Coordinates of all heavy atoms in Angstrom, one line a residue:
Q93 N 29.2 42.5 -9.2 CA 30.1 42.8 -8.1 C 30.9 44.0 -8.4 O 31.4 44.2 -9.5 CB 31.0 41.6 -7.8 CG 30.4 40.3 -7.4 CD 31.4 39.2 -7.3 OE1 32.0 38.8 -8.3 NE2 31.6 38.6 -6.1
T94 N 31.1 44.8 -7.3 CA 32.2 45.8 -7.4 C 33.5 45.2 -6.9 O 33.5 44.0 -6.5 CB 31.9 47.0 -6.4 OG1 31.8 46.5 -5.1 CG2 30.5 47.7 -6.8
I95 N 34.6 45.9 -7.0 CA 35.8 45.3 -6.6 C 35.8 44.9 -5.1 O 36.2 43.8 -4.7 CB 37.0 46.3 -6.8 CG1 37.2 46.4 -8.3 CG2 38.3 45.8 -6.2 CD1 38.2 47.5 -8.7
G96 N 35.2 45.8 -4.3 CA 35.0 45.4 -2.8 C 34.2 44.2 -2.6 O 34.5 43.4 -1.8
K97 N 33.1 44.1 -3.3 CA 32.2 42.9 -3.2 C 32.9 41.7 -3.6 O 32.7 40.6 -3.1 CB 30.9 43.2 -4.0 CG 29.9 44.1 -3.3 CD 28.6 44.3 -4.1 CE 27.6 45.1 -3.3 NZ 28.1 46.4 -2.8
K98 N 33.7 41.8 -4.7 CA 34.4 40.6 -5.2 C 35.4 40.2 -4.1 O 35.6 39.0 -3.9 CB 35.2 41.0 -6.5 CG 35.8 39.8 -7.2 CD 36.3 40.2 -8.6 CE 35.2 40.3 -9.6 NZ 34.6 39.0 -10.0
I99 N 36.1 41.1 -3.5 CA 37.1 40.8 -2.4 C 36.5 40.1 -1.2 O 37.0 39.1 -0.7 CB 37.9 42.0 -2.0 CG1 38.8 42.5 -3.1 CG2 38.7 41.8 -0.7 CD1 39.5 43.8 -2.9
V100 N 35.3 40.5 -0.8 CA 34.7 39.9 0.4 C 33.8 38.8 0.1 O 33.3 38.1 1.0 CB 33.9 41.0 1.3 CG1 34.9 42.1 1.8 CG2 32.8 41.6 0.6
G101 N 33.5 38.5 -1.2 CA 32.8 37.3 -1.6 C 31.2 37.5 -1.6 O 30.5 36.6 -1.2
I102 N 30.8 38.7 -2.0 CA 29.3 38.9 -2.1 C 29.0 39.5 -3.4 O 29.9 39.9 -4.2 CB 28.8 39.9 -0.9 CG1 29.5 41.2 -1.0 CG2 29.0 39.2 0.4 CD1 29.0 42.2 0.0
K103 N 27.7 39.4 -3.8 CA 27.3 39.9 -5.1 C 25.9 40.5 -5.1 O 25.1 40.2 -4.2 CB 27.4 38.9 -6.2 CG 26.5 37.7 -6.0 CD 26.6 36.7 -7.1 CE 25.7 35.5 -6.9 NZ 25.8 34.5 -8.0
I104 N 25.5 41.3 -6.1 CA 24.2 41.9 -6.2 C 23.4 41.0 -7.1 O 23.9 40.6 -8.2 CB 24.3 43.3 -6.8 CG1 25.2 44.1 -5.9 CG2 22.9 43.9 -6.9 CD1 25.7 45.4 -6.6
V105 N 22.2 40.6 -6.7 CA 21.3 39.9 -7.6 C 19.9 40.5 -7.5 O 19.6 41.3 -6.6 CB 21.2 38.4 -7.1 CG1 22.5 37.7 -7.3 CG2 20.7 38.3 -5.7
D106 N 19.0 40.2 -8.4 CA 17.6 40.7 -8.3 C 16.9 39.8 -7.4 O 17.5 38.8 -6.8 CB 17.0 40.7 -9.7 CG 16.8 39.4 -10.4 OD1 16.9 38.3 -9.7 OD2 16.6 39.4 -11.6
M107 N 15.6 40.0 -7.2 CA 14.9 39.2 -6.2 C 14.7 37.8 -6.6 O 14.3 37.0 -5.8 CB 13.5 39.9 -5.9 CG 13.7 41.3 -5.3 SD 14.9 41.4 -3.9 CE 14.0 40.5 -2.7
N108 N 15.0 37.4 -7.8 CA 14.9 36.0 -8.3 C 16.2 35.3 -8.2 O 16.4 34.2 -8.6 CB 14.3 35.9 -9.7 CG 12.9 36.4 -9.8 OD1 12.1 36.2 -8.9 ND2 12.6 37.2 -10.8
G109 N 17.3 36.0 -7.8 CA 18.6 35.5 -7.7 C 19.4 35.6 -9.0 O 20.5 35.1 -9.1
N110 N 18.9 36.4 -10.0 CA 19.7 36.6 -11.2 C 20.5 37.9 -11.2 O 20.1 38.8 -10.5 CB 18.7 36.6 -12.4 CG 17.8 35.4 -12.5 OD1 18.3 34.3 -12.4 ND2 16.5 35.6 -12.6
K111 N 21.5 37.9 -12.0 CA 22.3 39.1 -12.1 C 21.6 40.2 -12.8 O 21.1 40.0 -13.9 CB 23.6 38.8 -12.8 CG 24.6 40.0 -12.9 CD 25.8 39.6 -13.7 CE 25.6 39.3 -15.1 NZ 25.1 40.3 -16.0

Side-chain angles (χ1 to χ4, degrees):
Q93 297 171 297
T94 60
I95 293 171
K97 284 179 175 52
K98 191 172 278 296
I99 288 171
V100 300
I102 59 177
K103 66 181 179 177
I104 305 164
V105 296
D106 64 17
M107 297 311 292
N108 295 321
N110 302 312
K111 182 182 62 66

